[in-house]
Amino acid sequence: MTAIITASELASDLTRDRPPVLLDVRWQLSLAKAAGAPAFDGRAEYAAGHIPGAVFVDLDRELASEPGANGRHPLPDLAEFGAAMRRAGVSADRPVVVYDGGQGWAAARAWWMLRWTGHPDVRVLDGGLPSWEGELSNEVPEPAEGDFRPVPAPAELLDADGAAALARAGVLLDARAGERYRGEVEPIDRVGGHIPGAVSAPTTENVGPDGRFLPATELRDRFKALGVSGDTEVGVYCGSGVSGAHEVLALAVAGIPAALYVGSWSEWSSDPSRPVAVGADPQ
């Protein structure tokens, strides 16, 4: 089973008697609000046009809880997450396809949440909505209630201590932009830099100019060059557990399992007692 699906494959699957549940998770990290401009409105984008049958999922409200000591996008209450997924029609025995506006980060967060909590068949539309060549709809579907009940897999989740330990014992990848890893700029969090021992691996380098993932062989070569080989234990973090989920997805495309530190830099950097490394050197 693959973690991604092409637009043509999705179009074919949607013609079946029992098509996949389709989730629209349009979201983007925006600093516009801080500058006094309106923030990105994924629900409005959905209302203006979406793949027919898709149900909107709000990343900030349904795939995360309120920002706080655990980061900007901490894990949601699992009972509330499960209820949101059931309202969207998600059932354990029915495939799910997730897409966003093309960046892939938000869709990957939904993919990771569903996979981490036990759904066996979740894929991300490679390239997101821009890759879709079919018609769009502004009709809001009313799916039948699903039966999905989230059961998390602890091995796929890291906390701050686990991330620090993995940076020493395995490979901890930092999915943020290189300048944030090096501490040259930090537009959001308390301080710039990275977790000591983490390796810079911007997730933007996992895709081509069209936003689609590089071939699996190229991804495997990239991660090998970053120190991932054989039975290496791998973890990923980012700013708040969204772009990091996209890197976990890239690793899955390459056939490499990885855990996600959801709190990521927004949680790590909020505690002044935790060490911070700066510069290109992991240490």
Side-chain angles (χ1 to χ4, degrees), residues 254-282:
I256 302 167
L260 178 65
Y261 173 25
V262 174
S264 286
W265 189 247
S266 58
E267 179 187 49
W268 182 278
S269 65
S270 69
D271 184 346
S273 70
R274 294 195 183 104
V276 170
V278 295
D281 191 315

Side-chain angles (χ1 to χ4, degrees), residues 112-273:
W112 183 85
M113 284 293 307
L114 283 165
R115 194 190 72 157
W116 172 62
T117 54
H119 198 288
D121 189 353
V122 190
R123 289 173 290 174
V124 169
L125 175 59
D126 196 17
L129 188 61
S131 71
W132 179 254
E133 297 181 353
E135 295 183 355
L136 298 180
S137 171
N138 56 17
E139 294 184 11
V140 179
E142 297 182 3
E145 182 87 359
D147 64 14
F148 178 68
R149 303 283 172 178
V151 179
E156 297 179 8
L157 179 68
L158 293 171
D159 60 11
D161 290 341
L166 185 55
R168 296 188 299 270
V171 175
L172 180 65
L173 301 175
D174 185 319
R176 298 173 300 158
E179 57 268 25
R180 291 185 68 191
Y181 169 90
R182 295 187 296 271
E184 296 166 357
V185 298
E186 183 42 66
I188 307 171
D189 295 315
R190 185 185 68 85
V191 64
H194 58 269
I195 297 173
V199 178
S200 180
T203 198
T204 52
E205 296 178 14
N206 293 316
V207 299
D210 59 0
R212 301 183 193 187
F213 281 105
L214 300 176
T217 53
E218 292 184 26
L219 290 172
R220 282 193 290 270
D221 288 343
R222 180 186 187 223
F223 292 122
K224 184 177 180 179
L226 293 169
V228 178
S229 61
D231 296 326
T232 307
E233 188 176 358
V234 183
V236 180
Y237 76 96
C238 58
S240 64
V242 180
S243 66
H246 186 265
E247 185 126 290
V248 174
L249 176 58
L251 285 154
V253 172
I256 302 167
L260 178 65
Y261 173 25
V262 174
S264 286
W265 189 247
S266 58
E267 179 187 49
W268 182 278
S269 65
S270 69
D271 184 346
S273 70

Side-chain angles (χ1 to χ4, degrees), residues 21-150:
V21 173
L22 193 55
L23 305 180
D24 182 313
V25 197
R26 269 179 277 181
W27 170 94
Q28 66 185 39
L29 178 63
S30 174
L31 303 179
K33 191 174 182 181
F40 176 83
D41 189 340
R43 191 177 293 276
E45 294 288 324
Y46 167 83
H50 51 266
I51 298 176
V55 177
F56 181 73
V57 172
D58 190 317
L59 185 149
D60 290 318
R61 293 177 175 82
E62 295 173 321
L63 304 180
S65 57
E66 289 295 318
N70 293 324
R72 281 182 280 107
H73 289 102
L75 289 173
D77 177 87
L78 288 185
E80 294 179 7
F81 168 69
M85 293 300 98
R86 292 190 294 275
R87 286 195 302 272
V90 176
S91 291
D93 64 346
R94 188 173 174 186
V96 177
V97 173
V98 189
Y99 72 89
D100 59 21
Q103 186 180 46
W105 296 5
R109 172 72 177 226
W111 167 86
W112 183 85
M113 284 293 307
L114 283 165
R115 194 190 72 157
W116 172 62
T117 54
H119 198 288
D121 189 353
V122 190
R123 289 173 290 174
V124 169
L125 175 59
D126 196 17
L129 188 61
S131 71
W132 179 254
E133 297 181 353
E135 295 183 355
L136 298 180
S137 171
N138 56 17
E139 294 184 11
V140 179
E142 297 182 3
E145 182 87 359
D147 64 14
F148 178 68
R149 303 283 172 178

